[in-house]
Amino acid sequence: MKKNYIVKIALMFALVAVVAGIYTFIVIPSVRKDMQRKFNKQLEASMNSYRSVLVYVGNTPLLEGSVITEYNKNNFEVIEMPKAALTADYVSDFTDIIGSKVEYTICKGQQVSYSNFTEFHHTTSNDERLKEFKIAGLVARHAQIGNYIDVIVCYEDGYDIVVPKVQLYDIALNKEDGNYQQDKEGMYTIVIAVNETEYNDLVHAEKDGILDIRIYLDENQEPSEKTYYHIEY
């Protein structure tokens, strides 16, 4: 009788071991695989619902008329956004907009779309030529290629407008860090298109004072009145 009791207990433990083995080596791995499969599908669906989009993160608005150069790169960031929140023509790569002109002012946090930009066309007349000039500042670094500017000459007691409303064709950049380049005197180099009279005025103005610029907020603004006229003594 006692022997039969021991046998029954042994069979019960064997059955428990078999059931445990089935769960350990068959049921649980199968459940894990199923759970992993479901998780992968959910992850894939989640990733497919997001897209990489370029966002403007500059502290000041990127004004209409500015032209995008490598210098602007640090003012943009690529983030993941829900597919449903994207514009139809969103931009994913900064290099796609280099050389483009800003058609509508872009503010901080705004996602960038191709409709924000247009092709940059420099406006010149037949008697204009590209010339380099040294200027004192870039309006707290707000100046961008494509801006319309007044070139002014500053004296100790005031200033004169030498060339009103000329388009900024280029700004010298440091090749190593991509920042605007300054010479030993702290001056920046800009390129503008000027005619012979404007060129001569600027050359003389450089001797009378220090050249600087101011920016038009809108290219449709009326040009300033020219107030600098060189006088031969």
Side-chain angles (χ1 to χ4, degrees):
M1 183 73 179
K2 187 175 181 181
K3 185 177 180 180
N4 290 337
Y5 181 73
I6 293 173
V7 171
K8 288 180 180 180
I9 293 176
L11 288 174
M12 183 179 69
F13 277 110
L15 181 61
V16 170
V18 170
V19 172
I22 292 173
Y23 269 91
T24 300
F25 298 106
I26 299 176
V27 176
I28 293 177
S30 177
V31 171
R32 284 180 175 173
K33 285 183 180 179
D34 188 51
M35 291 178 65
Q36 185 66 46
R37 194 178 303 113
K38 289 180 180 179
F39 175 78
N40 289 339
K41 285 184 178 180
Q42 290 176 349
L43 180 62
E44 184 180 356
S46 175
M47 292 300 293
N48 287 337
S49 65
Y50 280 76
R51 294 290 186 273
S52 297
V53 61
L54 197 65
V55 174
Y56 180 67
V57 295
N59 291 323
T60 57
L62 194 58
L63 299 178
E64 175 185 341
S66 303
V67 175
I68 304 300
T69 67
E70 283 287 349
Y71 175 75
N72 302 113
K73 188 171 184 178
N74 292 335
N75 290 326
F76 290 87
E77 184 177 295
V78 176
I79 67 171
E80 298 297 314
M81 289 186 65
K83 187 176 178 181
L86 299 177
T87 59
D89 58 347
Y90 67 92
V91 180
S92 296
D93 192 338
F94 174 76
T95 58
D96 288 348
I97 59 172
I98 292 178
S100 300
K101 180 179 177 181
V102 179
E103 188 168 12
Y104 307 106
T105 297
I106 302 172
C107 299
K108 185 174 184 178
Q110 181 177 337
Q111 66 169 287
V112 177
S113 63
Y114 288 103
S115 59
N116 289 122
F117 304 95
T118 186
E119 188 177 352
F120 172 49
H121 295 287
H122 179 66
T123 55
T124 61
S125 59
N126 290 332
D127 63 340
E128 291 181 330
R129 298 292 184 271
L130 294 177
K131 299 288 184 180
E132 289 186 357
F133 293 95
K134 299 284 187 178
I135 60 171
L138 295 172
V139 194
R141 290 180 171 264
H142 287 276
Q144 301 287 340
I145 298 169
N147 285 156
Y148 284 88
I149 61 172
D150 286 336
V151 183
I152 63 177
V153 56
C154 300
Y155 318 112
E156 291 184 0
D157 57 350
Y159 70 92
D160 274 316
I161 299 170
V162 186
V163 180
K165 200 171 186 181
V166 61
Q167 198 170 17
L168 189 53
Y169 187 84
D170 202 1
I171 306 172
L173 297 177
N174 187 311
K175 294 181 179 180
E176 294 182 359
D177 57 20
N179 292 323
Y180 289 137
Q181 186 170 327
Q182 292 175 277
D183 63 16
K184 294 179 180 179
E185 285 72 40
M187 303 287 281
Y188 298 92
T189 300
I190 63 169
V191 178
I192 54 177
V194 293
N195 57 36
E196 200 65 29
T197 300
E198 291 169 334
Y199 173 74
N200 288 331
D201 282 342
L202 286 165
V203 170
H204 289 299
E206 283 180 313
K207 300 174 183 177
D208 295 338
I210 299 174
L211 294 183
D212 207 342
I213 65 171
R214 58 186 189 181
I215 304 171
Y216 287 80
L217 296 177
D218 186 335
E219 66 179 273
N220 296 318
Q221 287 178 271
E222 290 295 321
S224 305
E225 182 180 353
K226 176 182 174 68
T227 60
Y228 177 85
Y229 295 93
H230 176 67
I231 299 175
E232 294 287 354
Y233 293 100

